């Protein structure tokens, strides 16, 4: 059992949880938009479960009409606060290289990594993300174009790395009281970097980080983004593609890293999931359907009628799906206009509908529940995994063993409750199967994630 591959697990910390509707549940706590203790609890729960890290995504735009952007705590301030009440948990910091300056970011990273004794990682986002007009918030700060943002991201990362690791020798602190020398002569090095996007003299006015190399996380689907990851990153926050396509994407990414002369096992691929967990599968599906029911579905019955060739206008939406729809008579692509989340490996829409009923909303699901599910799937940013501890552990184990992923970024749909349930119910099951740690085995996040040094 000890030789089995081990999962890497991270937990996302957002003020209301990740789901855009679950905050409406009676038991959901929404004070996390104003009360830092709510997402501070996420860090405590994650460490109690020996998870690798917490991720608190950042945003620079002002979008008060969008729930998932209305308030975003500054992730560096959050991580500094949460690090003070934890001892082993890592923190993934998100910065946008299209807006932020490498010298300021390097100072923040080095400070945090010293304060938390080596528990920091960096998620470099270089999308322009014009929603919410972040350019308007940054005034005359030059912002790259869609074509130049990749070159700026590489230059940004190069400067950050050189400031962090080349500014000071490890033995810079001499502290010779008799001679009056605090800093060893010649132990600091001026950078004098002059690039297309940045001019930075250096050295960094903060001591070097504790870690040999602060892990860098890559996101994005473009060719330029993927190559940036293979060249400069240690982790990838990846979409989830299903088992079959996921295996192909996993293999291609690992081969891309290996082609650079790097060890592909040191490069970790980590998709995100929203988990809906309860003591039983029936309870989990009921809660999932309760959240889905917050969606508006007035137009969907007509859309289903057109897609399926069945007049549903006179059919009550309380009828069971399987009593109304003959799956065997569905066309191969009947649901294509309706369902955008197709990461199930289903070869046709008959198989896809069976998958939805058997793993998501239940085989006794009504038309109303199917309508709600489809409405949600149009806006889903990642797959929902619904069930009891065994169901979720089975999903994680299968995807790990099939080499679809190296770990998972867990997004609780709401606070408080789901994160605790995962730690209390799923983590013991993963440990029993020998695919997750029982205690922290390294003192730094780089050690926990087992990543390499590339800069």
């Amino acid at each position: 059992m000890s030789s089995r591959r081990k999962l890497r697990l991270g937990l996302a910390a957002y003020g209301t949880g990740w789901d855009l509707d679950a905050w409406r549940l009676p038991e959901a706590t929404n004070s996390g938009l104003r009360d830092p203790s709510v997402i501070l609890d996420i860090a405590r729960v994650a460490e109690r479960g020996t998870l690798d890290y917490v991720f608190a995504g950042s945003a620079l735009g002002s979008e008060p009409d969008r729930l998932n952007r209305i308030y975003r705590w500054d992730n560096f301030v959050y991580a500094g606060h949460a690090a003070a009440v934890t001892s082993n948990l890592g923190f993934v910091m998100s910065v946008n290289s299209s807006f932020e300056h490498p010298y300021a970011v390097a100072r923040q990273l080095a400070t945090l990594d010293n304060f938390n004794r080596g528990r920091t990682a960096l998620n470099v986002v270089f999308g322009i993300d014009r929603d919410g007009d972040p350019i308007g918030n940054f005034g005359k700060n030059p912002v790259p174009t869609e074509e130049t943002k990749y070159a700026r991201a590489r230059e940004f990362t190069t400067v950050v790395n050189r400031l962090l690791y080349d500014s000071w020798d490890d033995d810079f602190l001499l502290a010779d009281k008799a001679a009056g020398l605090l800093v060893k002569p010649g132990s600091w090095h001026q950078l004098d970097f002059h690039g297309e996007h940045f001019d930075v003299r250096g050295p960094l006015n903060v001591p070097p980080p504790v870690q040999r190399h602060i892990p860098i996380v890559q996101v994005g689907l473009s060719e330029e983004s993927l190559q940036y990851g293979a060249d400069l990153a240690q982790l990838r926050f990846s979409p989830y593609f299903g088992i079959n396509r996921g295996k192909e994407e996993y293999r291609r990414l690992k081969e891309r890293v290996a082609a650079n002369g790097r060890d592909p096992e040191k490069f970790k691929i980590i998709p995100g999931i929203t988990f809906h967990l309860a003591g039983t599968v029936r309870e989990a599906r009921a809660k999932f359907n309760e959240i889905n029911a917050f969606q508006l579905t007035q137009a969907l019955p007509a859309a289903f009628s057109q897609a399926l060739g069945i007049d549903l206008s006179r059919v009550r939406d309380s009828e069971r799906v399987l009593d109304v729809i003959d799956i065997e008579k569905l066309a191969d692509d009947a649901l294509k206009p309706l369902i955008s989340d197709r990461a199930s490996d289903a070869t046709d829409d008959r198989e896809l509908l069976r998958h939805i009923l058997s793993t998501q909303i239940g085989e006794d699901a009504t038309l109303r529940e199917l309508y709600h599910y489809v409405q949600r799937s149009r806006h889903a940013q990642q797959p929902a995994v619904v069930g009891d501890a065994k169901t979720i552990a089975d999903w994680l184990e299968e995807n790990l063993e099939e080499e679809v992923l190296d770990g998972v970024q867990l997004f609780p749909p709401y606070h408080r409750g789901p994160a605790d349930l995962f730690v209390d119910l799923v983590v013991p099951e993963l440990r029993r199967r020998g695919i997750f740690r029982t205690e922290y085995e390294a003192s730094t996040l780089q050690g926990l994630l087992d990543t390499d040094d590339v800069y």
Side-chain angles (χ1 to χ4, degrees):
M1 295 288 284
S2 61
S3 64
R4 298 190 68 187
R5 295 177 66 224
K6 299 295 192 297
L7 275 167
R8 270 69 187 184
L9 294 176
L11 193 60
Y14 290 84
T16 61
W18 184 247
D19 192 281
L20 296 184
D21 295 295
W23 66 270
R24 298 173 64 183
L25 291 170
E27 66 269 30
T29 298
N30 298 304
S31 58
L33 290 178
R34 298 194 56 150
D35 180 359
S37 72
V38 175
I39 59 171
L40 190 65
D41 282 351
I42 290 291
R44 291 191 177 101
V45 171
E47 181 152 278
R48 183 165 65 83
T50 63
L51 272 62
D52 292 87
Y53 64 84
V54 159
F55 170 72
S58 186
L60 301 177
S62 303
E63 299 174 87
D65 57 343
R66 292 180 61 182
L67 175 62
N68 63 337
R69 298 288 186 90
I70 181 172
Y71 288 147
R72 287 285 187 92
W73 300 105
D74 182 280
N75 55 182
F76 276 94
V77 176
Y78 164 70
H81 185 42
V85 298
T86 55
S87 302
N88 299 280
L89 182 70
F91 296 90
V92 178
M93 301 294 95
S94 182
V95 302
N96 192 318
S97 63
S98 292
F99 294 91
E100 302 182 66
H101 195 281
Y103 188 82
V105 169
R107 292 188 74 246
Q108 291 175 297
L109 286 170
T111 300
L112 182 61
D113 205 61
N114 275 278
F115 279 36
N116 67 25
R117 307 308 300 159
R119 296 188 279 142
T120 308
L122 173 64
N123 173 34
V124 179
V125 178
F126 36 87
I128 302 298
D129 189 13
R130 299 185 187 276
D131 291 341
D133 190 24
I135 296 175
N137 290 333
F138 281 74
K140 296 181 180 179
N141 184 51
V143 176
T145 65
E146 289 292 336
E147 291 71 31
T148 63
K149 66 183 182 182
Y150 302 105
R152 173 167 166 141
R154 285 180 170 273
E155 192 171 299
F156 174 94
T157 306
T158 296
V159 175
V160 167
N161 282 333
R162 289 188 59 187
L163 286 168
L164 289 174
Y165 312 116
D166 297 340
S167 289
W168 294 91
D169 295 339
D170 290 338
D171 59 351
F172 74 95
L173 186 59
L174 187 60
D176 186 339
K177 294 184 178 181
L181 292 174
L182 180 64
V183 175
K184 180 180 177 181
S187 63
W188 60 271
H189 310 283
Q190 200 160 295
L191 186 59
D192 285 327
F193 180 91
H194 302 286
E196 181 181 356
H197 300 275
F198 303 106
D199 289 303
V200 180
R201 186 194 65 176
L204 192 65
N205 62 348
V206 176
V210 171
Q211 298 180 92
R212 282 177 48 84
H213 190 274
I214 291 175
I216 293 177
V217 182
Q218 174 261 331
V219 296
L221 294 170
S222 69
E223 173 63 26
E224 295 91 341
S225 174
L226 294 174
Q227 193 57 50
Y228 169 95
D231 292 340
L232 297 170
Q234 285 74 36
L235 294 89
R236 168 166 165 74
F237 283 170
S238 171
Y240 179 73
F241 298 103
I243 295 288
N244 293 331
R245 183 184 168 194
K247 291 170 66 173
E248 288 299 311
E249 294 291 337
Y250 182 95
R251 178 184 58 79
R252 280 195 286 266
L253 285 168
K254 297 281 187 171
E255 288 176 350
R256 189 188 287 255
V257 171
N260 280 359
R262 299 174 57 190
D263 182 353
E265 292 302 312
K266 301 287 186 179
F267 183 86
K268 304 302 189 293
I269 298 171
I270 301 178
I273 65 169
T274 303
F275 62 94
H276 297 264
L277 170 65
T280 67
V281 172
R282 180 178 291 275
E283 290 170 339
R285 288 176 179 167
K287 184 59 63 177
F288 183 54
N289 286 331
E290 184 180 352
I291 295 170
N292 287 341
F294 293 126
Q295 295 286 310
L296 300 176
T297 59
Q298 291 92 330
L300 278 177
F304 262 88
S305 294
Q306 182 176 359
L308 303 180
I310 303 171
D311 183 5
L312 298 174
S313 62
R314 299 180 183 276
V315 180
R316 292 177 302 175
D317 61 9
S318 59
E319 295 288 334
R320 290 176 69 246
V321 172
L322 292 177
D323 290 340
V324 177
I325 299 174
D326 186 344
I327 295 181
E328 292 301 324
K329 294 182 178 180
L330 286 182
D332 287 353
D333 58 354
L335 301 178
K336 188 174 183 179
L338 300 171
I339 299 178
S340 58
D341 177 14
R342 310 177 73 84
S344 67
D345 284 332
T347 56
D348 58 47
D349 282 0
R350 293 181 293 274
E351 188 176 343
L352 176 62
L353 184 54
R354 292 191 186 97
H355 170 79
I356 291 169
L357 293 173
S358 64
T359 68
Q360 304 284 308
I361 60 177
E363 294 181 348
D364 290 329
T366 65
L367 285 172
R368 183 190 306 115
E369 290 167 338
L370 179 60
Y371 297 154
H372 289 314
Y373 174 86
V374 169
Q375 182 79 10
R376 169 171 295 275
S377 76
R378 292 179 172 185
H379 307 287
Q381 295 176 292
Q382 59 200 19
V385 182
V386 184
D388 59 6
K390 180 180 182 302
T391 302
I392 293 178
D394 285 347
W395 189 95
L396 292 168
E397 183 176 30
E398 179 182 18
N399 280 273
L400 179 70
E401 293 299 315
E402 291 289 340
E403 296 191 341
V404 174
L405 49 79
D406 298 302
V408 169
Q409 172 91 340
L410 301 162
F411 288 80
Y414 62 92
H415 302 316
R416 297 176 166 110
D420 289 276
L421 280 177
F422 188 92
V423 166
D424 292 337
L425 301 180
V426 180
V427 167
E429 181 65 19
L430 298 175
R431 288 171 174 168
R432 186 187 66 78
R433 301 178 188 207
I435 58 174
F436 192 61
R437 67 171 63 89
T438 57
E439 60 184 20
Y440 286 107
E441 63 279 280
S443 60
T444 67
L445 184 55
Q446 183 183 16
L448 291 177
L449 297 171
D450 187 26
T451 57
D452 59 6
D453 304 332
V454 178
Y455 67 95

